[in-house]
Amino acid sequence: MSNHLCRPPRRRWPTHVLPLLVGLVLTACDSTPPDPTVRLTGATMGTSYELKLVPAPGQTVPADLQARVEAMLTLVNRQMSTYDPDSELSRFNKNPSTDWIAVSPELQQVVAEGLRIGELSGGAFDITVGPLVNLWGFGPEPRRDEVPSTAAIAQARERVGDWRLHARAEPPALKKDRADLYVDLSAMAKGYGVDRMAALIDTTGVGNYLASIGGEIRARGRNGRGEPWTIAIEKPEAGQRSVERLIRLGDHTVSTSGNYRNFFEQNGQRYSHVINPRTGWPVPHTLASVTVIGDRSMVADATATALLAAGPELGFQLASEHHLAAFFVLIESDGGFKERFTPEFEPYLLPQQP
Ligand code: ADP
Ligand code: MG
């Protein structure tokens, strides 16, 4: 399993193959009447999407919903994937112009949100970190699994800095102050895709669903047994899938960013796919995962990555100051795990099993 995860197949989106969180529909053995849940799933963004739809009695899930979801996800990839060399974002990245470049309102919106979260994180989250991500082998090119040279890190770092990127809403356009700036939206695109899936489902009138892409999950209403959706936060262990905590999500979104799935090891040292834009190095392995609950999946996705990048102390301080519902799993010096969460997260936690 870990080999597989350490050497992911070529894919359009940079992510681990397995989701960080698993939506647990606690299906009953004795459920009467029968569970009406309709499950739709498919591949997207280097992982899979899943919809669990629970129509009300007499209500049906439109037959073309899956086709509409897939068409929308294809469009999102065409706009925002750095894994598609012809996507709108890839064309912006390749464009040497430092003038305003007209883009779709969707791309502009996601970039503007990325810049906002970058500011909130004090620079730990930076959507221009792509040259470093790619250098460390976590981008669209095949994995290298070795620490780059100091000179190469310094050179890539030169190109990073989101203060050189500007987003304008009217009319939608982006501008870079450096011709070789490179924007990477991988830390927030899955969440954005989940929000778009939820918006599509909302148009059908189905009011109970769980929508996810990889580890980004958005819930509404109740599951097929009429209960609130219950989600598992995974224990952050490579190659294993066990439950750290269960949460009752309500009509919210949850995202986990982890250091424990997408990484490589050299000389016993682990290097993960979240990079500190200041040092140019992967963030140290003292924080195993950060889970964020919010109202918008794109924001929770980006924020989870931002807090992970900010690290155990600064990240927790940011979460507390901004009253975020955040749950940190820290790695102690003896290798054990320690939980830490903000008061805003507490109401979602189910009591721990003895
Ligand atoms: P995943 O995509 O595996 O679910 P994340 O949402 O945490 O995980 O996103 C990680 C991705 O974000 C990396 O693969 C990389 O493309 C990008 N990234 C890495 N470091 C940063 C950072 N400091 N700021 C913004 N994006 C980052
Ligand atoms: Mg993220």
Side-chain angles (χ1 to χ4, degrees), residues 277-296:
R278 294 224 175 82
T279 62
W281 283 69
V283 296
H285 189 57
T286 49
L287 182 52
S289 73
V290 178
T291 297
V292 172
I293 294 178
D295 293 325
R296 284 197 298 158

Side-chain angles (χ1 to χ4, degrees), residues 14-16 20 124-127 129 133 138 184 186-188 190 216 256-258 262 273-277 301 305 308-309:
T15 179
H16 46 75
L20 293 169
F125 183 82
D126 190 325
I127 54 173
V129 78
V133 172
F138 297 111
D184 173 1
S186 307
M188 55 197 304
K190 293 201 293 299
E216 322 307 324
T256 294
S257 193
N262 197 354
H273 69 320
V274 174
I275 313 283
N276 179 337
D301 187 3
T305 308
L308 188 83

